[in-house]
Amino acid sequence: MGAIAPSSGLEFTVSLDVRRDQQPHHDTRIDAHLRVKAAGTGPHDEVPAVELAVVIALDVAAGRRESAAAALAATLRALPDGVSFAVLGGADASGEPSRCYPLRGRWALADTMEKRRAAFSAGRIVPAADDRPPPGYPAWLAAARALFATRSLPLRHLLLITDGSGGDPADDAGTDRGGSALREELATCDGAFTADVLAVGGDWDPAPLLAVVERLHGTAEHAPDRFAPAATGALRRLRRVRSPELPVVVTARPAVRAVELTETAPRQQRLAPAPGQEEPLRVRFPTHQWEPGTRDYLLTVHADASTDPLGVLLQLATVSVGDATAPLLVRWLPPGVAVGAGATGGGGGTLQAMNAATQMRTALNRGYAALDPMSRDEAEQQFGLAVRLATEIGADWVLQDVREVADILDGPRGLVRVGPTVDRGTVRRGQLHVASGHGLELPGHTTGKPVKCPHCRHLAGPRARFCIACGRSL
């Protein structure tokens, strides 16, 4: 545990919190809180800029051309020296995204003179004409994919800055979190590069933007028309990424029939196993954009306990990230013994907080969905649930978000009141805020030392109240 993974520049620590005592059934479900802590190794906090290729795509309507060009120029002047970059903006005669910079070739290498030329060239951006349809999000992604195919670097990233004018109404993206053309293009781009979205204004549909960042492992956030600080911050965050992709590997006993993994923090998402795995008892879950910090997961296994011994610790699985590994240990209770009644049935102390955080975010999303179109009763019910759970686990950012669209009458009881009108732009910004991920301080796993029974000297767990050997009180 905690060994160095030289290839990623990160040192990992993996821990599992699970209720040890479980009821033995033919199909027993076991939930565990998996926590992965990553610490950077080496003398630098940021990866070298020469390892980064970035495409900046500016998708704005004609009314925002002046402010967008000025913000783009400031963004380009702030690029770190050594980064490979290209700028897409506007549309050519055929309606496809046009390249604003470099003027010749596909890529530019940032230095003082190159950034000065690029900032000057930002004024060349021409929005699509009013009588011509915008390129659409799939076209921006395809153009970026073509550029990245010629620049093989460890970090390849698209920064899409949009006011919604690049959305394609023909795709009906708002009904299924991305239309068919967008879904197909995202499937092609997945693995080729990652993407962040900066949404300016308030006329964009959040559904396709969230589809982009969820599939391409980035973040979406609202930014002002003068978006330069937000764009610079996004690129600075990108340089903290030490490993673009890293698998969480679960190796299970033959008695384990199914393994599921859900990330709960910093964002909420169900992880899919890597395709084409030939080892049924070794499941790899790809994860992305690793930087120093902590991630929390819900690990769920379904196990057949029909042939296992009772009353002894069994290792059902191991979880590995990099070179760090932690075991999943459980003990099947004898018939008639209820879970929690055993002597050392501790563990799983953080599962309740993690489940509450998941329910809180789900309720918050449903509350925003109920506001567009307006369904006040449903919104108040969902926001009330989110506020009550946020009050319990100390998620103050949820209370701040809810106050943008409703009055909190009683936080602990979950009573809120939505006004007669709600600004639709505020609702959209709230949806992006929830999806962008927030660091939630879940309680840490307890790692107390075992104690000895004062009567028979048998070792017991740190939370034990009675000795499992002689039965006397500890």
Side-chain angles (χ1 to χ4, degrees), residues 246-384:
L246 196 67
V248 176
V249 183
V250 181
T251 306
R253 294 178 59 221
V256 174
R257 298 183 170 185
V259 178
E260 302 167 5
L261 191 65
T262 301
E263 182 178 330
T264 59
R267 65 183 61 190
Q268 186 175 314
Q269 57 179 336
R270 176 78 173 269
L271 300 182
Q277 302 190 73
E278 298 180 357
E279 302 177 74
L281 302 179
R282 185 179 174 86
V283 186
R284 297 165 59 90
F285 295 92
T287 59
H288 303 269
Q289 298 287 71
W290 278 91
E291 60 184 85
T294 300
R295 296 192 185 189
D296 293 289
Y297 300 88
L298 174 65
L299 172 67
T300 300
V301 300
H302 295 265
D304 179 7
S306 58
T307 61
D308 283 340
L310 303 178
V312 296
L313 280 179
L314 298 173
Q315 181 172 304
L316 291 186
T318 59
V319 180
S320 302
V321 180
D323 291 338
T325 301
L328 178 63
L329 303 174
V330 300
R331 174 173 38 231
W332 303 123
L333 293 174
V337 179
V339 172
T344 58
T350 59
L351 282 174
Q352 184 176 359
M354 186 169 60
N355 289 335
T358 300
Q359 296 173 24
M360 176 191 70
R361 281 178 165 156
T362 301
L364 197 55
N365 274 319
R366 290 175 177 172
Y368 284 125
L371 292 179
D372 190 12
M374 174 70 82
S375 177
R376 185 175 292 102
D377 290 343
E378 175 67 13
E380 289 179 347
Q381 180 181 355
Q382 297 298 333
F383 282 136

Side-chain angles (χ1 to χ4, degrees), residues 24-307:
H25 298 296
H26 182 68
D27 184 19
T28 299
R29 170 176 172 152
I30 300 171
D31 291 327
H33 174 199
L34 168 64
R35 169 162 287 183
V36 182
K37 294 183 179 180
T41 61
H44 303 292
D45 293 332
E46 297 181 334
V47 298
V50 293
E51 297 184 3
L52 169 62
V54 59
V55 172
I56 301 175
L58 190 61
D59 172 42
V60 296
R64 283 195 168 85
R65 180 185 182 278
E66 183 176 352
S67 60
L72 176 61
T75 301
L76 294 171
R77 284 192 292 266
L79 287 175
D81 288 345
V83 65
S84 299
F85 72 99
V87 181
L88 302 174
D92 57 24
S94 64
E96 295 299 314
S98 61
R99 186 166 64 250
C100 170
Y101 199 83
L103 304 179
R104 297 182 182 85
R106 291 176 175 264
W107 292 93
L109 192 64
D111 60 23
T112 302
M113 290 303 299
E114 199 72 36
K115 290 186 289 186
R116 186 178 301 169
R117 296 189 192 100
F120 178 78
S121 299
R124 297 177 59 243
I125 292 179
V126 180
D130 293 339
D131 58 349
R132 189 193 314 145
Y137 297 133
W140 294 111
L141 294 170
R145 176 166 51 85
L147 284 170
F148 285 121
T150 66
R151 202 67 167 177
S152 181
L153 288 175
L155 293 175
R156 300 180 298 275
H157 195 74
L158 167 67
L159 181 59
L160 175 61
I161 303 164
T162 180
D163 62 357
S165 59
D168 189 352
D171 261 343
D172 196 19
T175 63
D176 58 359
R177 287 185 73 82
S180 58
L182 179 59
R183 287 197 305 270
E184 292 172 4
E185 184 58 39
L186 286 172
T188 305
C189 293
D190 191 8
F193 60 93
T194 55
D196 282 348
V197 169
L198 294 182
V200 298
D203 297 329
W204 34 268
D205 181 0
L209 301 183
L210 292 175
V212 168
V213 297
E214 287 171 4
R215 189 63 188 265
L216 300 184
H217 320 296
T219 60
E221 62 179 280
H222 177 258
D225 283 1
R226 300 285 181 172
F227 55 78
T232 302
L235 296 178
R236 188 180 301 116
R237 289 193 301 271
L238 180 65
R239 291 189 64 192
R240 292 200 296 266
V241 174
R242 300 293 186 93
S243 180
E245 181 176 334
L246 196 67
V248 176
V249 183
V250 181
T251 306
R253 294 178 59 221
V256 174
R257 298 183 170 185
V259 178
E260 302 167 5
L261 191 65
T262 301
E263 182 178 330
T264 59
R267 65 183 61 190
Q268 186 175 314
Q269 57 179 336
R270 176 78 173 269
L271 300 182
Q277 302 190 73
E278 298 180 357
E279 302 177 74
L281 302 179
R282 185 179 174 86
V283 186
R284 297 165 59 90
F285 295 92
T287 59
H288 303 269
Q289 298 287 71
W290 278 91
E291 60 184 85
T294 300
R295 296 192 185 189
D296 293 289
Y297 300 88
L298 174 65
L299 172 67
T300 300
V301 300
H302 295 265
D304 179 7
S306 58
T307 61

